[in-house]
Every structure is written in structure tokens, then in C-alpha cells.
Amino acid sequence: MSGHKDIWVVIEHSDGRVKPVSLEAVHAARQLSSKSGGQVKAVYLGSQSGDGVKVVARAGVNQVLLIVDSELDTYTSSRYLAALVGCMGDSPPSAILLPATNHGKELAPALASSLGSGLATDCIGLDYSESSGIKVERPVYAGKALSYMEFLGPVPVIITLRPNAFRSDPIADYKEAPIIEHSPAWTEHSRLLHLKEIVKGGGTLDITEARIVVSGGLGMQGPENFHLLEELAGVLGAAVGASRPVVDNGWRDYSNQVGQTGRTVGPDLYIACGISGAVQHLAGMSSSKCIVAINKDPHAPIFEVADYGIVGDALEILPILTREFKNALRT
Ligand SMILES: Cc1cc2nc3c(=O)[nH]c(=O)nc-3n(C[C@H](O)[C@H](O)[C@H](O)COP(=O)(O)OP(=O)(O)OC[C@H]3O[C@@H](n4cnc5c(N)ncnc54)[C@H](O)[C@@H]3O)c2cc1C
């Protein structure tokens, strides 16, 4: 049962392009396998469109399991679940890693339930010891505490990884791994759902996956001023976030909300504009690598966590930042 030590990474892709969060998961799997032994296998579901499969094969994995079927080009949990379980046969891996994205958050519990195995979600650290096997670290109580968990049940254990928590080195030139093709054996159950159409919601960058987030609070004064954040985000390649009252007021969609009752982000750069810095907001962004705050009030609590602070009117400062970044990035 050589498969027992292997670690699988379920690759997320869109239009043939691999999402960076999946390469982070590959990096995490490599680190784990260097302690636990076994091979890292990337599982790519869908037909070979674009260069996604090749990108994964050169990402430092030992093998790519390509489960080929055009029905898998677009994610549906029932198809992905059936294909993954079917491909496992009698040689399951020790762990299956998925990014904690919307898809990963849906598929991971379905996998765990189907396989009767343990599940740890939104992990920010992985470790292994001979005595206790795989251990995970995950934030709890809105990031105020960390929990460390071990698995007791059967393999494979299912683990979702918080985006931006497992960065890989940008310079890596790995040998291309072999690509092994599988055909999914569909069950009656997996055929119960047929995907007809995906209606895209605008194609904006997901705030949990973005490397830069520009967020607005009530200090933005109204929805008509959020174009200032969109413009800065456009120049920086960033996603736009928001505080809860902004969402409650209907200025922005809930998918933009950062905080305890919204999304948790950990980008390289978080720019908080007109946000006071309430604990519930900090719970969703304080793990950002660099925090910049723009606030009229020099005593606003956000400045206590900010690496850089600008005291002033966000509505005046944002256009200046956008112009300056545009100029700086053009050169
Ligand atoms: C159970 C619970 C869960 C919650 N969950 C969340 C959550 O997930 N996310 C979240 O964000 N909140 C959450 N909250 C709400 C949270 O407590 C705060 O009320 C909220 O974060 C405040 O949002 P804000 O900073 O946009 O607004 P405010 O606190 O009103 O702050 C506005 C800030 O803008 C500044 N300002 C005003 N005008 C300007 C200007 N022109 N230029 C620059 N600065 C200006 C002000 O000085 C002020 O600091 C939750 C609360 C509870 C009780």
C-alpha cells in the first residue's frame, strides 16, 4: 500500500489556468512530505485545456493524476467527489489538501463524510511526527487563539489550507513530473446533477486570494465614493474589501466583507480606508503582512495595528495614491 504515505493536492483551475492558491497547497504538501515521506501527487480534474496541467507538473510534484472528462472542466461538488473517490481505489493517500476557497470549503467536508475520515479546515500550519502523524494548526475564535489538532481516524485525512498562508518560493525550476491519466467511473449518484450553465458574477478578484486588498469603511461616506477604491485596486491588481456596516448598508456585496462575520484575508498589503479598526474587523485582516491605514482620526484603533498610517481624508488621499502608483508602476 505505497499510496498510504502519499499526499494529494486537489488543483483548482479556471479556464485552463491554475489558481495560485493551488500552488501554495503544493508547496505545503512538499514541506509535509519532506517529513512524512511518500510522494506529492497533484490531482487535476478536467480536460487538458490551456497550460494548467503543465504548470502543475513543473510545480515540484512527483506525479500529476489527470482525471480527464469534459464534465469536470467546471467544478461541481458531486462530480469532483465521485471522480476523486473513484480514482483512489484501494491505495488511498495519507492526506488530501485543498485550498480553503469556496470550492475547497464545499468539497472537503463532502470528501471527509464520504470517506469517513477526519477534516481540518482553514489551516495555517502543517507538521508531522512519527508518533502522532499529521498535525495541523488553525486559528479559532476569530483568530484570537490557535488550535493544534491531530487525526485519529482512517486515512486519507482531509485538510483545507488558508490562502496566502503557505507561500512558495517564486524561483523554482522543477523537473516536469509524469502525468498519469485516469477516466472517471461515474456512479448513478454522481449523475444526478448536470451542470447547464454558469452565470459569472463579474469576474472580480476574490478578496481571500488577492495579494493586495484595498478596503473601505463608513469613512468612505457613501457607495458613490467606492470607485476611488476600485481605481486604486485596478492599478495595484488588488481586490476591494469592506467593513461590515458598509455591507449592511448595501454599499458593497457581502462577499467583500472582511472580519469576524465576513471573510478572513492575509494579503501582502491591506489598505484600510476610513475604517476605525474594531476588533471584529481586525479579526479578519490582522494577519496581513503589511497594513496601511488612512483615517481622519489620529486616535483611530486601526493605527495600533498599522505598519504605515496616513492621517487625513481618504476621499482626497486615494486619488493621489492612485495617480502616484500609476506613475511609479509605469516606469
Ligand atoms: C458580532 C459582531 C460581528 C461583527 N463582524 C464584523 C465584521 O465581520 N467586519 C467588520 O468590519 N465589522 C464587524 N462588526 C462591526 C464592528 O464592531 C464595527 O462596528 C465596524 O467594523 C465599524 O466599521 P467602520 O470602521 O467602517 O465604521 P466606523 O467604526 O464608523 O469607522 C469609520 C472610520 O472612518 C473614519 N473616517 C470618517 N470619515 C473619514 C474620511 N473622510 N477619511 C478617512 N477616514 C474617515 C472615522 O474616523 C472612523 O475611524 C461586528 C460587530 C459585531 C457585534
Side-chain angles (χ1 to χ4, degrees):
M1 301 281 270
S2 67
H4 264 326
K5 281 193 167 247
D6 293 348
I7 299 167
W8 285 14
V9 179
V10 180
I11 300 298
E12 212 168 288
H13 56 90
S14 171
D15 299 327
R17 294 181 60 202
V18 176
K19 293 201 169 185
V21 280
S22 290
L23 300 179
E24 291 173 23
V26 166
H27 179 63
R30 282 172 52 82
Q31 287 180 322
L32 188 59
S33 77
S34 68
K35 295 176 185 168
S36 66
Q39 297 199 330
V40 174
K41 297 186 179 176
V43 190
Y44 193 104
L45 300 99
S47 49
Q48 274 207 57
S49 63
D51 62 354
V53 181
K54 292 272 178 210
V55 169
V56 173
R58 288 195 214 103
V61 299
N62 299 99
Q63 197 179 87
V64 179
L65 301 175
L66 176 62
I67 310 184
V68 196
D69 194 308
S70 58
E71 292 274 6
L72 295 165
D73 284 346
T74 305
Y75 167 84
T76 55
S77 61
S78 57
R79 289 284 162 108
Y80 265 49
L81 178 64
L84 280 165
V85 173
C87 167
M88 219 169 283
D90 58 1
S91 188
S94 61
I96 301 180
L97 309 189
L98 306 95
T101 53
N102 289 342
H103 293 173
K105 285 177 189 170
E106 186 189 28
L107 184 57
L111 265 173
S113 162
S114 167
L115 299 168
S117 44
L119 165 70
T121 58
D122 205 26
C123 299
I124 59 166
L126 297 176
D127 204 357
Y128 175 85
S129 71
E130 277 301 331
S131 54
S132 45
I134 295 176
K135 293 189 280 190
V136 300
E137 177 185 352
R138 55 189 296 271
V140 288
Y141 302 117
K144 290 193 188 66
L146 292 171
S147 69
Y148 296 87
M149 296 164 65
E150 295 171 4
F151 296 88
L152 300 174
V155 297
V157 299
I158 314 296
I159 300 170
T160 67
L161 306 176
R162 179 176 287 190
N164 287 323
F166 296 89
R167 290 288 179 78
S168 55
D169 299 330
I171 328 136
D173 190 15
Y174 296 109
K175 204 170 94 194
E176 188 168 313
I179 299 167
I180 311 295
E181 287 198 21
H182 288 258
S183 294
W186 297 123
T187 60
E188 254 332 279
H189 182 252
S190 61
R191 286 202 178 281
L192 289 178
L193 186 69
H194 180 62
L195 185 72
K196 294 281 283 185
E197 191 183 3
I198 294 278
V199 181
K200 294 220 174 181
T204 46
L205 193 54
D206 187 315
I207 57 169
T208 59
E209 295 173 35
R211 300 272 161 107
I212 303 177
V213 176
V214 183
S215 260
L218 283 183
M220 290 302 295
Q221 314 291 329
E224 67 281 4
N225 294 322
F226 270 73
H227 72 96
L228 298 174
L229 300 173
E230 299 280 4
E231 282 154 20
L232 179 58
V235 171
L236 296 176
V240 174
S243 68
R244 174 166 163 173
V246 162
V247 172
D248 290 346
N249 286 350
W251 299 357
R252 299 293 294 186
D253 187 75
Y254 173 70
S255 62
N256 292 177
Q257 184 180 318
V258 174
Q260 186 179 325
T261 44
R263 321 282 293 276
T264 302
V265 300
D268 289 337
L269 175 61
Y270 187 88
I271 307 181
C273 308
I275 293 177
S276 57
V279 283
Q280 295 89 353
H281 188 82
L282 301 186
M285 45 64 77
S286 55
S287 63
S288 304
K289 291 169 190 66
C290 178
I291 298 171
V292 175
I294 307 173
N295 199 301
K296 278 209 302 209
D297 175 6
H299 304 293
I302 191 77
F303 287 127
E304 285 165 29
V305 297
D307 298 285
Y308 300 95
I310 304 173
V311 178
D313 187 338
L315 307 186
E316 290 173 11
I317 292 164
L318 278 165
I320 299 169
L321 283 182
T322 303
R323 190 187 63 220
E324 293 302 320
F325 274 120
K326 207 183 266 177
N327 289 339
L329 293 172
R330 196 183 288 148
T331 53

